[in-house]
Amino acid sequence: MQIVSLCPSNTELIGYLQCEHLLVGVDNYSDWPNSVQKLPRLGPDLSIDMDLVEELKPDLILASLSVPGMERNIEELKKRNLPFVTLNPQSLSDIRNDLLTVGDLIGVGTYAEKIVQRFDKEITYYKELAQRITHKPNIYWEWWPKPLFTPGGSNWLTEISALAGAKNMFEDYSEPSVQTTWEEVKKRKPQAICLAWVGIAEKNVNKKVIQKRSGWEELRLSETDIHILEEALFCRPSPRLLVGLKKLAQLLHPAIFKEDKDEDVLLSVLKDMEVDKP
């Protein structure tokens, strides 16, 4: 079987299913697992070169609607009558279901079920610890600095915040992504600010962007209350969000969420499991 992935989160699903050997092409932004670095690149996830996709003669194309604008890819796939499945994960539950769906499609359904069992166990672990936390800080998540975009209530970062013993400050908005203003952010009185700018490496994110905004002093936050986080661990709806969750939880509540040697519990637990690779 030959698979093409049109966005990073889909590529990462294949990585967790230990089937990256089936990938023959990926979008420009897919960078995990490392083995995909040598694969043919098909363009940015919002404007895939469908001629290149067609040339690869894939048996299955993993498309997505997780980012506005990806609809164009779906329309072109239909027009060319190419074999594809569309994923649209917005929550942790969606991600676990996508593992099962893709696992069945590529012939590793039993293995996918084992991954999901461990995925569920990890969620339960964080949920139980988070229930012990009395002070849950309001987090302002910033996805983009100008104009300001932040995740809303139906986005996975609302769940990640709660599991880490905190609260997404914009969870009262039903949509997954919210355009807001700095004035509105100040009114909501954040107790922590998490910067995860979509498509921007952490080294290129500057805390001074926040500190130079009008009325920063009114928030009575220090520089240590601004956290620059890995975009790849918080802005992509894949199982790697659990790695981000671990980092966030330890950052906010180090006394509750202890550090351990395993950065990615799914990989460390599942690496010894046998999978019949198609």
Side-chain angles (χ1 to χ4, degrees):
M1 174 177 265
Q2 296 195 131
I3 300 174
V4 160
S5 170
L6 302 188
C7 74
S9 57
N10 288 349
T11 305
E12 291 169 13
L13 276 184
I14 295 295
Y16 278 99
L17 292 167
Q18 294 190 21
C19 288
E20 58 265 36
H21 61 285
L22 299 179
L23 290 166
V24 294
V26 295
D27 68 284
N28 286 3
Y29 302 130
S30 285
D31 55 11
W32 189 94
N34 287 333
S35 58
V36 306
Q37 301 285 3
K38 298 177 182 178
L39 290 174
R41 297 287 162 165
L42 305 170
D45 53 5
L46 291 179
S47 54
I48 296 292
D49 186 330
M50 289 298 172
D51 289 335
L52 290 178
V53 173
E54 201 162 6
E55 287 173 16
L56 291 172
K57 297 181 171 27
D59 301 299
L60 178 65
I61 300 164
L62 298 181
S64 178
L65 287 173
S66 62
V67 175
M70 287 180 168
E71 297 84 359
R72 292 190 297 273
N73 292 332
I74 308 298
E75 292 166 6
E76 190 63 25
L77 289 169
K78 289 178 179 177
K79 190 183 299 182
R80 294 171 183 249
N81 199 30
L82 293 172
F84 74 95
V85 62
T86 304
L87 306 178
N88 186 18
Q90 299 295 335
S91 66
L92 295 177
S93 177
D94 291 340
I95 293 166
R96 76 179 297 283
N97 292 337
D98 285 348
L99 279 166
L100 295 171
T101 297
V102 176
D104 284 338
L105 285 171
I106 65 177
V108 292
T110 301
Y111 181 70
E113 289 174 8
K114 292 178 181 178
I115 297 175
V116 165
Q117 287 171 9
R118 192 61 184 87
F119 185 92
D120 291 344
K121 184 177 179 181
E122 192 75 352
I123 298 298
T124 299
Y125 166 77
Y126 280 93
K127 190 175 293 184
E128 290 175 351
L129 284 182
Q131 288 173 350
R132 303 181 196 173
I133 298 169
T134 53
H135 173 63
K136 299 183 177 181
N138 280 335
I139 296 180
Y140 165 56
W141 288 93
E142 187 165 290
W143 266 351
W144 196 249
K146 193 174 182 180
L148 297 186
F149 275 93
T150 187
S154 57
N155 181 264
W156 56 83
L157 284 182
T158 295
E159 294 176 88
I160 293 294
S161 300
L163 291 169
K167 179 183 178 182
N168 173 15
M169 202 169 68
F170 282 84
E171 68 177 19
D172 55 314
Y173 281 77
S174 60
E175 57 264 44
S177 182
V178 178
Q179 183 173 346
T180 188
T181 64
W182 181 240
E183 287 304 312
E184 181 62 23
V185 172
K186 287 193 298 180
K187 285 180 188 175
R188 290 173 178 249
K189 295 181 170 52
Q191 295 165 305
I193 295 176
C194 293
L195 305 180
W197 293 349
V198 177
I200 306 296
E202 307 92 82
K203 65 181 180 180
N204 296 323
V205 179
N206 193 337
K207 292 182 179 182
K208 288 186 171 57
V209 171
I210 296 287
Q211 295 167 310
K212 288 179 179 178
R213 289 177 183 164
S214 173
W216 158 251
E217 300 81 6
E218 300 168 20
L219 296 179
R220 297 183 179 179
L221 297 175
S222 68
E223 185 173 344
T224 58
D225 295 314
I226 306 174
H227 309 292
I228 297 174
L229 300 176
E230 298 96 322
E231 182 263 358
L233 298 182
F234 293 92
C235 299
R236 300 176 183 177
S238 95
R240 290 188 83 202
L241 284 173
L242 295 189
V243 181
L245 167 59
K246 174 179 285 191
K247 293 192 173 190
L248 180 65
Q250 291 171 353
L251 187 68
L252 297 177
H253 302 288
I256 301 292
F257 299 98
K258 307 293 187 181
E259 287 196 43
D260 58 48
K261 63 179 181 176
D262 295 324
E263 180 187 26
D264 190 327
V265 68
L266 290 185
L267 290 183
S268 62
V269 169
L270 300 170
K271 64 183 178 183
D272 297 325
M273 287 185 181
E274 291 295 327
V275 54
D276 295 326
K277 296 186 177 182

